[in-house]
Amino acid sequence: MIIDSHAHVVLPNERQIEWMEEAQIDKTVLFTSVVHPEKASSLMEFKKEMGMLYDIINGIKNPIEERLKAIEELKSAIKENPQRYIGFGSIPTGLSYEENLSWIEKYIVKNSFYGIGELTPNSGQVELLEPLFQASRSTGNLPLWVHTFFPLVTQDIKILLDLAKRYPSVSLILGHMGGIHWLDTLVACKDLSNVYIDLSATFTTLALEFAIREFPERVLFSSDAPYTSPLSAKINIETLIKDKGLCQQVLGGNIANLLQIC
């Protein structure tokens, strides 16, 4: 089974299914999206959508109403194609342990989502995720998917990995492999068996090659659609991996094992 382990809700939903069919992807782990750059028809429209995204990633905005609307979009997409999608639900940054528990119960567990993310702490805010690690541990160890590209720096990723070390029962997925800090990130997570590495939006194909070589059971194929086409992301993996068994493992086996997908 080929599983795209990280893509965002695309509008219209039919386009996402078309992309999956084109890439021969069986299932997609679908995440919410407050912005929809795929709808932009001009460079300025795209810039506007990306400006909203950067405000969220940089901690300028943490929009609750928009987040709840995006969760409804995700629920609707999964309901239309339950055999093709499974969901990860978003959560605001900076909640207390009790607030995290309440949000998880109301918006993650009740919607039968498989994990929590995408989490986008700003640089200097990663420690705010500790109550969420605690809440995840209390609610069945739901995996946490954290954006580790810009604006996070090496020190932020170190703190994140320290949290993973403190909460070994909670699976942590490092979104985008640390961005430009990918090499330090790979070295730092070598002995952390609960840390998984998302292969989307990587800084260089060398990062993909070394991640797959060093962590064959902990790397996760993903497209981060609509920011990369699923077909392009899949071709990158198939080009790098000559061993068919390993290729199947990276393209779906690892995330299937992590999320216990039949």
Side-chain angles (χ1 to χ4, degrees), residues 17-25 229-231:
I17 293 294
E18 289 173 1
W19 288 350
M20 290 174 65
E21 293 291 345
E22 178 186 37
Q24 297 182 319
I25 289 171
S229 79
L231 179 59

Side-chain angles (χ1 to χ4, degrees), residues 101 104 116 131-144 170:
L101 284 179
I104 289 169
I116 302 169
L132 181 56
F133 274 81
Q134 295 169 342
S136 170
R137 185 177 60 182
S138 299
T139 52
N141 295 308
L142 289 163
L144 305 180
V170 177

